[in-house]
Amino acid sequence: MKTPMVASRQSWFIRNRMTLLTLAVVLAYAAFIEWFWGWSSILAQWGKVGALPILLALALLTGTYFLRTWRIYDYFPKETGGHFAALFRVTQIHNLLNIMMPFRAGETSFPVLMRSEFGIPLARSTSALFVMRLFDLHALLAAAGIGLALASPYPALAWVVWVAFLLLPVAGFALRQPLIRFAANALPKKAQGLVHELERGLPANAGAFARAWLTTVVNWLVKVAVLAWALGLMNVTPLSASFGGALGGELSSVLPVHAPGGVGTYPAGITAGAMAFGASGEKAALDNLAQASINAHLLIVVSALTGTALGLLASRKRA
């Protein structure tokens, strides 16, 4: 028979197993970097870049979190009106958990936090989050399509396809009613409720759709541009390679396969994207790219921590 103390310890480990897994992976990753390159070598890249560009990049990345918060603020105007600081705190906690928890497990925090803070039903906030994630993925793929169109041997056809893909959300929103009816009729009765909940997560009208879509495009344009600039400062060349690296890293963060804290997967996404867009395959260039990808990942994590600290501070002052 288990004593109460043993049972309590076991329940604590069960409740915190995801946090413990994340911590173990991060520590193992940090130890691997120290063994393979040495943290002094990794951080030496920042020394060459200088403090001002680092602070500017950090400020711009943190600024994108305010843009994301406004997108949600505009998405739920009745529930969140006059509570931007509280919503900013919610979005930053959600963002940090999403980065640190594996396999997109942090996404589950958003509907829970929105319900506890603003009384929004779980189904509605979950469907809205799903729609916003579709916007995010579309914006990133459209950005990647620019590089593919530039490299295509058939530029005219490539740009036509790219424009058609870019406007796909517009067409989908315009045809949402027939598409929803078709999906509801084609799916089993048990799944029809999911279709209706997804409909509730769509923007309320054309104006709300345009604002959400444009905010998404601007947000990812700024974030990818800043990351590409940071990679360029760390000698990831040519420009197309730094752009591809930024896209690869961010695509790895929105896909279902995501390591705790993004360790390994985010730098791997940067490396794969940079190689796909023309980075040199020489040993010295690859070594520099690997170190730059780790530093870019650190920049993302620090910006997320900064955003969370600002969110907690702002909501505390308001309270």
Side-chain angles (χ1 to χ4, degrees):
M1 182 176 179
K2 296 179 182 177
T3 66
M5 183 175 292
V6 172
S8 177
R9 287 178 180 174
Q10 288 182 342
S11 63
W12 183 88
F13 278 107
I14 292 172
R15 289 196 307 270
N16 295 280
R17 60 186 181 276
M18 296 296 284
T19 302
L20 293 172
L21 173 62
T22 299
L23 182 60
V25 171
V26 170
L27 290 175
Y29 182 62
F32 171 78
I33 291 174
E34 175 61 32
W35 170 74
F36 199 84
W37 288 288
W39 278 103
S40 59
S41 176
I42 295 293
L43 298 178
Q45 282 191 329
W46 288 125
K48 296 176 183 177
V49 170
L52 185 59
I54 296 172
L55 291 175
L56 180 58
L58 187 61
L60 289 170
L61 288 174
T62 305
T64 63
Y65 298 138
F66 288 94
L67 199 59
R68 291 192 203 181
T69 304
W70 185 86
R71 181 176 68 169
I72 301 171
Y73 189 78
D74 187 65
Y75 224 92
F76 300 102
K78 293 181 180 179
E79 295 85 354
T80 62
H83 302 286
F84 188 88
L87 181 61
F88 184 72
R89 175 178 57 83
V90 166
T91 57
Q92 294 319 292
I93 293 173
H94 166 238
N95 180 60
L96 185 62
L97 289 174
N98 208 22
I99 289 174
M100 299 309 296
M101 304 301 281
F103 303 109
R104 313 299 298 171
E107 293 284 28
T108 59
S109 65
F110 180 78
V112 174
L113 289 168
M114 292 297 284
R115 182 181 65 174
S116 63
E117 192 73 34
F118 303 107
I120 298 174
L122 290 174
R124 187 182 173 207
S125 55
T126 300
S127 59
L129 178 63
F130 178 71
V131 172
M132 286 187 279
R133 285 293 177 255
L134 288 178
F135 277 152
D136 293 337
L137 183 58
H138 173 265
L140 280 170
L141 292 176
I146 295 174
L148 296 175
L150 289 172
S152 174
Y154 307 102
L157 178 60
W159 283 113
V160 168
V161 172
W162 181 81
V163 170
F165 179 78
L166 181 67
L167 297 176
L168 196 59
V170 178
F173 185 77
L175 299 172
R176 65 191 182 283
Q177 294 300 336
L179 290 173
I180 288 170
R181 284 197 298 269
F182 174 78
N185 292 329
L187 293 173
K189 285 187 177 181
K190 291 184 179 180
Q192 290 178 5
L194 296 175
V195 176
H196 295 303
E197 289 300 337
L198 179 61
E199 182 181 11
R200 293 184 64 194
L202 292 172
N205 50 56
F209 165 80
R211 292 192 298 272
W213 185 44
L214 290 175
T215 302
T216 303
V217 171
V218 173
N219 170 73
W220 287 109
L221 178 64
V222 172
K223 192 170 186 180
V224 169
V226 170
L227 284 174
W229 175 57
L231 289 169
L233 290 175
M234 290 181 282
N235 297 319
V236 176
T237 56
L239 177 62
S240 60
S242 60
F243 176 75
L247 282 172
E250 286 306 302
L251 277 171
S252 75
S253 71
V254 300
L255 295 175
V257 180
H258 183 258
V263 296
T265 54
Y266 195 93
I270 291 177
T271 302
M275 293 294 293
F277 279 73
S280 172
E282 296 181 2
K283 186 179 183 302
L286 284 175
D287 191 61
N288 178 75
L289 173 59
Q291 295 186 52
S293 68
I294 294 170
N295 278 320
H297 181 217
L298 289 175
L299 186 64
I300 292 294
V301 173
V302 171
S303 69
L305 291 171
T306 303
T308 304
L310 288 175
L312 294 173
L313 181 62
S315 60
R316 181 178 298 176
K317 283 186 175 181
R318 186 174 180 83

